[in-house]
Amino acid sequence: MTESRITRRFAETAAAGRPALVTFVTAGDPDYDTSLAILKALPGAGADVIEMGMPFSDPMADGPAIQASGLRALKAGQTMVRTLAMVRAFRETDQTTPIVLMGYYNPIYSWGPEAFLDAAKAAGVDGLIIVDLPPEADDELCLPAMARGINFIRLATPTTDDRRLPAVLTNTSGFVYYVSINGITGTASPDAVRVGGAVERIKRHTSLPVAVGFGVKTAEQAQRIGQDADGVVVGSAIVAAIKGSLDAEDRATGATVPAVEALVGELAAGVRAAKRSAA
């Protein structure tokens, strides 16, 4: 893989002596226009890397908050085509912030993997996290993505032992996403001591940055996790902030975008307080 927006951004945050803040939002939640406004507001609020969830009707790894956000987006008419349209619209004003699409293989398979990858590359997508494609299926999507210069980011979990880890890391690029808890998103808080040991173990196998997610909700948690990790991923808390700003019919209000900006600003302050040794 050649240099990408993702590798450049992690190099920049490492040189600044801090972890990257990786923020997750579901594309199209609660509607296309509001979701695009949130997307455009994230870098200014302090997000270093943006993960966009591709709404899917059967999100097996997601907790209640992200499941509900996907259903809101689908109800509002979000599609894979509209998700890539959001990326194109974002790229009209931001050519530096990395965007990673996260989700499941079914919608991509329905589109056609090669056609999807061409469209994603043209839209300005930098990376993919596809949670239900194991390394044994790299020919399906991972290798074609890498051939187009799209980073394929793999998940490692607390149950990924040293025998399995090399397979997980093969063909992984951009960064490694360490899932800090067993289970679905947003249902428990990570143990910082265990996370630190896990990050150290993964780094014995790879020179890639390691970002930690699943369960990080507060600036304090982000700061603590960020003392060991190269990146801190926050998703469910941001999605919950969106939900908390909606009206009784789950429609956006004037508080929706500011609620996200405020939380991301707090999280950004947390990761910037997690000083690390400069690269």
Side-chain angles (χ1 to χ4, degrees):
M1 286 289 296
T2 58
E3 186 183 51
S4 67
R5 289 188 186 97
I6 294 173
T7 59
R8 286 194 294 270
R9 182 52 53 90
F10 274 97
E12 290 165 1
T13 56
R18 66 170 180 86
L21 175 61
V22 184
T23 56
F24 172 95
V25 291
T26 299
D29 176 33
D31 60 73
Y32 180 92
D33 290 338
T34 305
S35 186
L36 179 57
I38 291 170
L39 189 66
K40 290 183 174 181
L42 287 172
D48 296 301
V49 179
I50 298 172
E51 288 180 11
M52 286 178 62
M54 298 177 285
F56 178 52
S57 57
D58 189 22
M60 62 183 182
D62 295 319
I66 293 179
Q67 285 189 24
S69 72
L71 292 176
R72 287 193 298 269
L74 291 171
K75 183 178 179 180
Q78 190 70 9
T79 63
M80 294 286 282
V81 171
R82 299 190 86 189
T83 295
L84 293 188
M86 288 180 63
V87 178
R88 286 195 302 272
F90 178 84
R91 287 284 173 240
E92 291 174 0
T93 56
D94 190 316
Q95 287 291 325
T96 59
T97 303
I99 290 185
V100 177
L101 297 185
M102 184 172 186
Y104 302 86
Y105 188 44
N106 301 60
I108 296 172
Y109 181 80
S110 297
W111 184 318
E114 300 282 346
F116 166 78
L117 290 171
D118 288 339
K121 181 66 176 178
V125 172
D126 302 293
L128 294 173
I129 301 173
I130 309 301
V131 300
D132 54 350
L133 271 184
E136 289 76 13
D138 275 358
D139 288 347
E140 284 281 327
L141 193 67
C142 174
L143 296 181
M146 293 175 65
R148 289 165 171 81
I150 297 175
N151 290 125
F152 202 87
I153 297 145
R154 197 82 68 185
L155 301 175
T157 73
T159 59
T160 307
D161 61 23
D162 286 328
R163 291 175 297 175
R164 179 62 174 168
L165 193 55
V168 170
L169 295 173
T170 299
N171 297 322
T172 297
S173 63
F175 64 94
V176 180
Y177 188 142
Y178 178 67
V179 176
S180 62
I181 60 172
N182 287 317
I184 55 178
T185 59
T187 56
S189 295
D191 182 315
V193 174
R194 289 184 179 177
V195 167
V199 170
E200 182 180 357
R201 181 173 65 88
I202 293 169
K203 283 182 169 292
R204 290 198 293 267
H205 293 265
T206 181
S207 60
L208 289 171
V210 179
V212 175
F214 278 52
V216 180
K217 297 182 175 67
T218 67
E220 292 75 19
Q221 288 175 327
Q223 179 180 354
R224 179 63 189 88
I225 296 297
Q227 290 172 0
D228 297 303
D230 302 299
V232 180
V233 187
V234 183
S236 294
I238 296 172
V239 170
I242 293 173
K243 169 61 177 174
S245 74
L246 305 180
D247 68 16
E249 283 74 42
D250 280 341
R251 295 175 300 200
T253 69
T256 300
V257 176
V260 174
E261 290 177 310
L263 176 57
V264 172
E266 294 172 5
L267 295 165
V271 299
R272 282 159 176 75
K275 291 299 182 182
R276 298 163 52 81
S277 298

